[in-house]
Amino acid sequence: MHALHDVFSPLSSPLAYLLREKFLLTSKGQCTTADFQRATSVVTHEFTHQWFGDLVTPASWNFAWLNEAFARLFEYFGTRMVEPTWRMEDLFVVEQVQVAFNSDLKGSHAMTSETTTPDSISETFDHIIYNKGQGFDFHRGTVEPANLWDAFDGVLDEIGGAQYLPPNSTSITEFVDQWVNKPGFPLVTFSRNYSSKVVTVTQQRFLVEKADRDADKTNWTIPLTYTTRTNANFSSRANLFWFDRFKPSVQFSVPDNNDWLIANLKEVGFYRVNYDAQNWALIAAQLSANPAKIHLLNRAQILDDAFTLARADLVSYETALELTRYLKTEKDFIPWYAVWSHIRDLLHTYAQTEVANQMKVRGKTVGARLVQW
């Protein structure tokens, strides 16, 4: 491993690693915690390439995500093993998953995409390859995604894991290919009928413009999770059920109209979530009364989803801003991380208007509370 004064980005090979001096020649007490965390992450990422990328290499650049997605994944979880107090598993959601959402919109490409020229190869190394792909990767020059899915199927056979597959599926390939070979991701909407107690779940590809959403008919088979106020359980597998891509909707019941419903627990699933107006109000009320009742990753998810949906005119900005009222009591940095870019964008968009002035007044109140903490 070599430390160089001026190298554009870290480079790895089976025999050598080239990194910037600041990533290698650093230690606690000589830099900020953020810089030390970044250095640890970069080194972990490059070490991961000893396997994913060096010893195990994709058959073509079409499958570049087999290199970078797993290196990015272990960058976080390897660093967590070195320093658990950095909470890399929480940062993973706001730094990787939510960034991937914002990149995988109109004009994006699938994780597996055709590359025919050096320029097209370079263009594939973006947030889709690094961020979206980190959930899913084998010998040099001979490996394709099918090899990975076959390996997964082998493990499922060994452990008798058919229950982990969608209904009527015989292999993981049927499920995963739709996510790897298509661009985009779903918006899952939970609409409650408060008279019949029935929740109807629908999906469509999330795109910012309504005309684009209406024109795109892509559907996915989605593992859905949810919890409610009465039976709050934020295990990532709580109330797990499958939304088959060939069905227009699925339904279940929530008996208590006063119960909020929150889906995509810990934001494990790669989809955004929308609710009916009353359920959004119930969530906002819970956040104001006792935010700790909702898992911090879902607090971050709720804020990020709400502001993104407001940008797409799927919910009102009043709904999104109402959710921020509780932030004056939010002591964890993860929800703040998720919402800050949205607040900044709003201030920029409405600069020199009364909207911005009101937001600044509220921000000063929240800021004063943060200083007290």
Side-chain angles (χ1 to χ4, degrees):
M1 186 169 287
H2 304 279
L4 302 181
H5 177 67
D6 187 18
V7 60
F8 178 71
S9 62
L11 299 172
S12 65
S13 73
L15 299 178
Y17 294 89
L18 305 180
L19 294 95
R20 293 182 186 179
E21 286 180 344
K22 68 177 183 179
F23 293 142
L24 197 57
L25 304 180
T26 188
S27 62
K28 286 184 177 179
Q30 296 181 342
C31 61
T32 66
T33 299
D35 286 341
F36 192 59
Q37 176 186 306
R38 174 61 178 155
T40 307
S41 297
V42 169
V43 172
T44 305
H45 183 105
E46 297 309 318
F47 268 129
T48 304
H49 276 313
Q50 282 192 327
W51 181 256
F52 298 115
D54 293 343
L55 291 176
V56 178
T57 308
S60 83
W61 289 112
N62 296 352
F63 314 123
W65 65 270
L66 292 172
N67 277 4
E68 298 300 342
F70 280 105
R72 181 60 58 87
L73 177 68
F74 285 102
E75 168 187 329
Y76 277 77
F77 291 90
T79 301
R80 181 185 66 174
M81 295 174 69
V82 174
E83 184 50 80
T85 62
W86 287 341
R87 296 173 54 193
M88 299 301 290
E89 67 276 22
D90 295 336
L91 283 171
F92 182 80
V93 172
V94 293
E95 290 184 347
Q96 299 301 317
V97 176
Q98 292 182 359
V99 168
F101 281 144
N102 293 329
S103 303
D104 200 8
L105 298 172
K106 185 178 181 180
S108 67
H109 60 85
M111 286 165 54
T112 295
S113 55
E114 189 72 22
T115 55
T116 56
T117 66
D119 285 344
S120 66
I121 292 171
S122 297
E123 289 169 0
T124 64
F125 284 82
D126 57 11
H127 288 305
I128 301 300
I129 296 299
Y130 283 88
N131 301 60
K132 182 179 180 180
Q134 19 73 357
F136 295 108
D137 261 297
F138 275 63
H139 215 56
R140 179 190 306 275
T142 62
V143 178
E144 299 185 8
N147 302 115
L148 176 61
W149 313 146
D150 288 344
F152 282 178
D153 282 331
V155 172
L156 290 175
D157 288 341
E158 289 178 11
I159 66 173
Q163 71 270 24
Y164 298 114
L165 293 172
N168 304 317
S169 292
T170 58
S171 75
I172 201 167
T173 303
E174 299 173 38
F175 167 62
V176 178
D177 274 358
Q178 61 183 315
W179 294 89
V180 171
N181 297 322
K182 296 178 183 178
F185 59 89
L187 166 66
V188 181
T189 300
F190 291 74
S191 301
R192 299 174 63 178
N193 183 318
Y194 293 88
S195 298
S196 66
K197 319 294 186 183
V198 172
V199 182
T200 300
V201 188
T202 56
Q203 66 161 298
Q204 64 180 152
R205 181 181 175 186
F206 177 77
L207 292 163
V208 173
E209 299 297 330
K210 183 179 186 302
D212 294 331
R213 292 195 299 272
D214 292 343
D216 196 305
K217 304 303 180 183
T218 307
N219 285 327
W220 291 262
T221 295
I222 312 168
L224 299 178
T225 55
Y226 74 93
T227 192
T228 62
R229 178 184 62 85
T230 298
N231 299 301
N233 175 7
F234 283 87
S235 163
S236 58
R237 294 185 60 82
N239 296 314
L240 171 66
F241 66 101
W242 292 92
F243 189 166
D244 191 305
R245 63 194 175 102
F246 297 110
K247 293 184 178 180
S249 64
V250 292
Q251 293 184 326
F252 61 94
S253 62
V254 174
D256 190 340
N257 283 346
N258 294 316
D259 270 8
W260 42 257
L261 164 73
I262 293 175
N264 196 7
L265 305 181
K266 298 183 182 178
E267 205 161 10
V268 169
F270 197 74
Y271 57 93
R272 289 198 181 277
V273 181
N274 194 7
Y275 306 100
D276 58 89
Q278 185 169 335
N279 195 75
W280 278 117
L282 289 168
I283 292 172
Q286 179 63 71
L287 288 171
S288 294
N290 180 12
K293 182 83 171 179
I294 298 173
H295 193 279
L296 71 93
L297 291 179
N298 281 104
R299 300 201 298 271
Q301 172 224 17
I302 287 163
L303 293 166
D304 182 52
D305 279 352
F307 276 94
T308 303
L309 295 173
R311 177 184 165 210
D313 290 327
L314 288 163
V315 303
S316 67
Y317 270 107
E318 287 80 3
T319 295
L321 289 169
E322 187 65 26
L323 293 164
T324 68
R325 287 186 179 276
Y326 97 97
L327 286 172
K328 62 181 179 289
T329 63
E330 179 60 80
K331 296 183 179 182
D332 197 286
F333 73 96
I334 293 294
W336 278 102
Y337 192 114
V339 77
W340 176 245
S341 63
H342 296 290
I343 294 174
R344 181 192 60 210
D345 290 345
L346 277 178
L347 287 172
H348 177 75
T349 301
Y350 294 101
Q352 311 304 320
T353 69
E354 184 58 29
V355 173
N357 291 334
Q358 291 180 16
M359 290 180 66
K360 289 175 182 177
V361 169
R362 183 181 296 184
K364 288 179 180 178
T365 302
V366 174
R369 185 67 60 88
L370 289 173
V371 170
Q372 291 175 9
W373 290 335

